[in-house]
């Protein structure tokens, strides 16, 4: 059941008291439940300067994969064939184990975590909401994730049933599994840890290299995302993790963390929101090298040498972003794909890089094939970019939050594809002009 606003505030208050009683220091920050559908967050409790400590977490409250593995016991072994990442499953099983234990010391923190019903990730969307994604790849990615979760749930069921903490029939259900997974996907931190630290307990890393680890950090999980630079840095002493301000804060200012350069598809899949001004938005294009005929072994060898030289495989998944509409790797890949003879890539017997056009014909075919691919993606949508803009601009039109997020996503992807098409046409114009000028110079010379 969804918690009421008052119930959520009580859970947050209890979690804060639990955090302080177990050695956590909220410092100059305080968690807050926002009104309406704005969720929760962490805000500055007082005026802060750069370098001030926002909060600190003792190592024994940092839930690491090592801690999760130890809590499951020496006899716990993962079955073969699991689809999800092991670190995600370990942290999820830790949450489930502590959720069903009546005497768990983590109960107050677990009660403050979002309920399954409160998540807006596409995993939980109904058919109408998924239909609103139109032809976005996110729909297929969502269905693939559902399949993986279902398969792992079935594989883990007999293993979990044998655990001493799973005697109650209600301790293993698809909803509980999904709740744990959603919290790990959306609330975990991936942090670099110092080398060879001996006082880190479960966080200790090998001495030979700096490593990263996936953690659940009580209290820190109140922090929300921003596309702007993160408002804090992570530091360590001998006993705790500290979050130190990297900017000035006024009382009530929200503390944000940049989750990374993530597209709206990733944000919706893992966190349940999309940003209308997401500078990191992307459309993933998938292209493959066509097979060479058995009779043209020289061409096959040349293509493979070129792919190896450009650190490419026979297939390519490349993100198209507004900041880089024509990635060099994609252009090189398509030039190689449209070679018709080995000699086209040779100059006095030496192999020419695919970083520059080989010929007007080759470049035209490469660009036109990409144009057809992008236009094909656009034609699969039921609405145009302009129509989506009108839907989003109609403030008087009420629509569910998930549907609005879907429109933001698909509008951003159409915008990228339309600008990609425009960039391809402009590159085609420049290519024709370049080769025409070269031909004129050669003829006059």
């Amino acid at each position: 059941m969804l918690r009421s606003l008052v119930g959520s505030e009580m859970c947050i208050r209890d979690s804060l008291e639990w955090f302080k009683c177990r050695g956590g220091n909220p410092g100059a920050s305080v968690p807050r439940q926002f009104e309406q559908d704005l969720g929760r967050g962490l805000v500055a409790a007082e005026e802060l300067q750069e370098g001030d400590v926002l909060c600190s977490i003792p190592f024994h409250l940092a839930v690491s994969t090592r801690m999760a593995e130890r809590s499951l016991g020496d006899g716990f072994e993962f079955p073969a064939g699991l689809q999800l990442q092991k670190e995600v499953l370990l942290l999820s099983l830790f949450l489930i184990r502590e959720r069903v234990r009546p005497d768990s010391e983590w109960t107050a923190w677990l009660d403050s975590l979002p309920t399954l019903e409160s998540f807006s990730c596409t995993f939980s969307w109904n058919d109408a909401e998924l239909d609103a994604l139109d032809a976005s790849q996110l729909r297929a990615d969502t269905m693939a994730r559902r399949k993986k979760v279902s398969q792992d749930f079935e594989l883990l069921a007999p293993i979990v049933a044998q655990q001493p903490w799973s005697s109650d029939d209600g301790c293993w259900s698809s909803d509980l599994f999904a709740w744990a997974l959603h919290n790990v996907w959306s609330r975990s931190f991936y942090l670099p840890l110092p080398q060879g630290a001996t006082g880190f307990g479960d966080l200790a890393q090998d001495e030979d290299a700096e490593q990263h680890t996936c953690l659940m950090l009580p209290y820190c999980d109140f922090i929300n995302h921003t596309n702007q630079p993160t408002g804090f840095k992570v530091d360590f002493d001998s006993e705790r993790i500290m979050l130190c301000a990297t900017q000035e804060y006024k009382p009530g200012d929200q503390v944000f963390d940049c989750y990374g350069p993530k597209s709206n598809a990733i944000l919706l899949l893992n966190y349940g929101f999309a940003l209308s001004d997401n500078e990191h938005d992307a459309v993933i294009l998938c292209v493959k090298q066509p097979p060479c005929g058995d009779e043209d072994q020289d061409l096959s060898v040349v293509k493979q040498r070129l792919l190896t030289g450009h650190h490419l495989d026979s297939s390519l998944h490349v993100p198209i972003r507004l900041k880089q509409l024509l990635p060099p790797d994609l252009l090189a890949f398509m030039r190689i794909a449209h070679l018709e003879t080995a000699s086209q890539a040779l100059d006095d017997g030496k192999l020419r890089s695919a970083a520059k056009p080989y010929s007007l014909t080759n470049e035209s075919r490469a660009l036109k094939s990409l144009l057809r691919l992008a236009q094909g993606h656009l034609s699969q949508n039921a609405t145009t970019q302009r129509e989506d803009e009108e839907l989003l601009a109609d403030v008087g039109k009420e629509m569910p939050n998930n549907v609005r997020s879907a429109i933001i996503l698909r509008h951003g992807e159409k915008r990228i594809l339309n600008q990609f098409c425009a960039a391809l046409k402009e590159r085609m114009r420049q290519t024709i002009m370049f080769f025409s000028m070269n031909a004129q110079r050669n003829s006059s010379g």
Side-chain angles (χ1 to χ4, degrees), residues 96-371:
I96 292 171
R97 177 182 181 272
E98 298 304 323
R99 175 82 284 179
V100 302
R101 286 180 59 208
D103 59 344
S104 173
E105 64 176 305
W106 302 88
T107 297
W109 168 55
L110 297 175
D111 285 344
S112 74
L113 294 177
T115 62
L116 178 60
E117 296 88 349
S118 66
F119 283 103
S120 298
C121 307
T122 53
F123 182 93
S124 303
W125 285 15
N126 59 38
D127 290 343
E129 291 166 338
L130 288 175
D131 287 343
L133 291 172
D134 221 342
S136 174
Q137 177 63 30
L138 178 57
R139 180 172 185 148
D141 292 343
T142 299
M143 303 310 293
R145 172 166 285 189
R146 286 181 178 179
K147 184 177 181 181
K148 290 180 180 180
V149 170
S150 177
Q151 290 178 346
D152 284 9
F153 175 79
E154 296 298 332
L155 286 172
L156 287 168
I159 308 297
V160 172
Q162 299 173 9
Q163 304 308 306
W165 48 269
S166 65
S167 56
D168 188 352
D169 291 339
C171 77
W172 185 248
S173 68
S174 58
D175 282 351
L176 186 58
F177 189 44
W179 167 81
L181 287 170
H182 277 69
N183 273 291
V184 173
W185 283 326
S186 64
R187 294 291 182 271
S188 59
F189 288 75
Y190 196 62
L191 298 180
L193 298 180
Q195 300 178 19
T198 58
F200 279 73
D202 283 319
L203 306 183
Q205 299 294 302
D206 296 333
E207 294 185 4
D208 57 349
E210 183 174 302
Q211 298 185 20
H212 288 70
T213 189
C214 189
L215 303 169
M216 296 291 289
L217 297 177
Y219 192 78
C220 294
D221 51 30
F222 285 110
I223 299 174
N224 290 317
H225 169 73
T226 180
N227 257 356
Q228 303 303 313
T230 295
F232 60 86
K233 66 177 181 178
V234 178
D235 203 353
F236 303 87
D237 64 18
S238 61
E239 297 180 345
R240 58 185 59 232
I241 300 170
M242 296 176 293
L243 272 55
C244 301
T246 54
Q247 63 183 56
E248 295 181 355
Y249 287 90
K250 295 179 181 179
D253 285 351
Q254 190 170 174
V255 178
F256 287 108
D257 178 21
C258 179
Y259 297 170
K262 301 183 186 302
S263 68
N264 275 340
I266 296 299
L267 292 176
L268 267 178
L269 184 67
N270 288 338
Y271 305 99
F273 64 89
L275 302 172
S276 57
D277 58 347
N278 188 358
E279 63 178 298
H280 304 300
D281 209 5
V283 173
I284 305 299
L285 287 187
C286 306
V287 288
K288 294 182 179 180
Q289 290 288 324
C292 293
D294 294 337
E295 67 281 0
D296 200 342
Q297 291 298 314
D298 289 343
L299 177 60
S300 179
V301 170
V302 164
K303 283 189 172 185
Q304 187 55 57
R305 287 177 60 193
L306 285 168
L307 290 172
T308 301
H310 284 275
H311 307 287
L312 298 170
D313 294 320
S314 59
S315 62
L316 180 68
H317 293 69
V318 59
I320 307 299
R321 296 186 173 90
L322 293 177
K323 286 186 174 182
Q324 190 175 47
L325 289 167
L326 300 178
D329 280 353
L330 177 61
L331 295 178
F333 186 92
M334 298 306 294
R335 290 171 186 137
I336 297 169
H338 287 276
L339 287 173
E340 294 183 306
T341 64
S343 61
Q344 290 178 328
L346 298 174
D347 187 4
D348 292 334
K350 294 182 179 180
L351 197 62
R352 293 171 54 197
S353 167
K356 295 181 179 180
Y358 287 118
S359 66
L360 177 58
T361 300
N362 175 269
E363 191 75 358
S364 296
R365 288 176 175 171
L367 295 174
K368 287 179 180 178
S369 64
L370 288 173
L371 186 61

Side-chain angles (χ1 to χ4, degrees), residues 370-435:
L370 288 173
L371 186 61
R372 288 193 298 270
L373 178 62
Q375 290 173 337
H377 280 297
L378 286 167
S379 68
Q380 295 173 19
N381 290 285
T383 60
T384 65
Q385 178 185 339
R386 175 64 63 86
E387 288 169 336
D388 287 343
E389 288 171 358
E390 292 173 353
L391 285 171
L392 293 171
D394 187 356
V395 294
K397 183 178 180 60
E398 293 186 6
M399 66 179 72
N401 288 336
N402 289 346
V403 173
R404 179 170 291 277
S405 293
I407 297 175
I408 291 173
L409 168 89
R410 75 193 194 198
H411 169 263
E413 292 184 343
K414 291 168 192 172
R415 181 187 176 201
I416 291 171
L417 286 171
N418 279 320
Q419 293 201 25
F420 178 62
C421 290
L424 288 169
K425 293 175 182 178
E426 175 60 20
R427 178 60 67 92
M428 179 73 71
R429 187 190 68 80
Q430 293 175 359
T431 299
I432 294 173
M433 183 180 298
F434 172 78
F435 280 98

